[in-house]
């Protein structure tokens, strides 16, 4: 429950920052609409994560409760925060998460967070089949820990990527580090 509250606060902060910097021609939806969309997309994300967890070997009947809790947790880390910013724009979701091409600073940060959480969940499951019989090896504990650890790493990486993208955009805007056309012609000759 506390993760849901933290992610909702994070999403609302991101939403308020985005709505202040939104284009004047594009009116952002109200916070209530954005919150309702985030809940719906989080539920769809839970279903998607559950399907993929089962396809990767999680129990359908034997450990259905644990698998659903894991899917909900992974959805809260990867889908729910992005849903505040992206909303129901399917083209943006496909462009960012399927085609791996975020275009803005916020999209890059969301991409890094979500993909690193999914990668961490997959990487954490490596220790499950080992014969150590430790309590932390039981499903879904290693995947949850891996998802959380890599989500934190993804947050830091997303911040760095956003800063680098912003600096490159500023340099392009002011022409810093770009050769003028006359210098470029001299270098080619």
């Amino acid at each position: 429950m506390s993760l849901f509250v933290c992610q909702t606060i994070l999403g609302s902060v991101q939403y308020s920052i985005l709505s202040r910097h939104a284009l004047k021609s594009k009116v952002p939806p109200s916070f209530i609409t954005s919150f309702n969309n985030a809940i719906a997309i989080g539920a769809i994300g839970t279903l998607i994560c559950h399907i993929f967890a089962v396809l990767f070997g999680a129990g359908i009947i034997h450990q259905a409760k644990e698998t659903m809790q894991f899917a909900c947790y992974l959805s809260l880390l990867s889908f729910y925060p992005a849903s505040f910013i992206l909303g129901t724009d399917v083209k943006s979701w496909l462009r960012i998460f399927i085609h791996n091409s975020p275009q803005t600073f916020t999209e890059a940060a969301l991409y890094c967070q979500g993909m690193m959480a999914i990668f961490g969940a997959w990487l954490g499951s490596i220790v499950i089949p080992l014969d150590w019989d430790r309590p932390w090896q039981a499903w879904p504990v290693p995947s949850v820990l891996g998802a959380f650890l890599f989500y934190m790493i993804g947050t830091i990486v997303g911040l760095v990527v956003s800063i680098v993208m912003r600096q490159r955009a500023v340099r392009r805007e002011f022409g810093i580090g770009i050769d003028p056309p006359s210098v470029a012609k001299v270098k080619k000759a």
Side-chain angles (χ1 to χ4, degrees), residues 2-22:
S2 62
L3 178 65
F4 175 74
V5 172
C6 290
Q7 292 291 51
T8 302
I9 292 170
L10 175 70
S12 62
V13 168
Q14 289 175 340
Y15 173 80
S16 65
I17 291 171
L18 180 72
S19 64
R20 274 189 275 150
H21 298 296

Side-chain angles (χ1 to χ4, degrees), residues 45-47 49-50 53 66-76:
T46 300
L47 180 64
C49 290
H50 189 272
E66 289 87 355
T67 303
M68 185 54 84
Q69 289 172 342
F70 168 71
C72 185
Y73 181 77
L74 193 58
S75 177
L76 277 174

Side-chain angles (χ1 to χ4, degrees), residues 104-116:
T104 65
F105 320 123
T106 307
E107 290 175 357
L110 293 172
Y111 174 77
C112 290
Q113 289 173 350
M115 292 311 240
M116 290 294 279

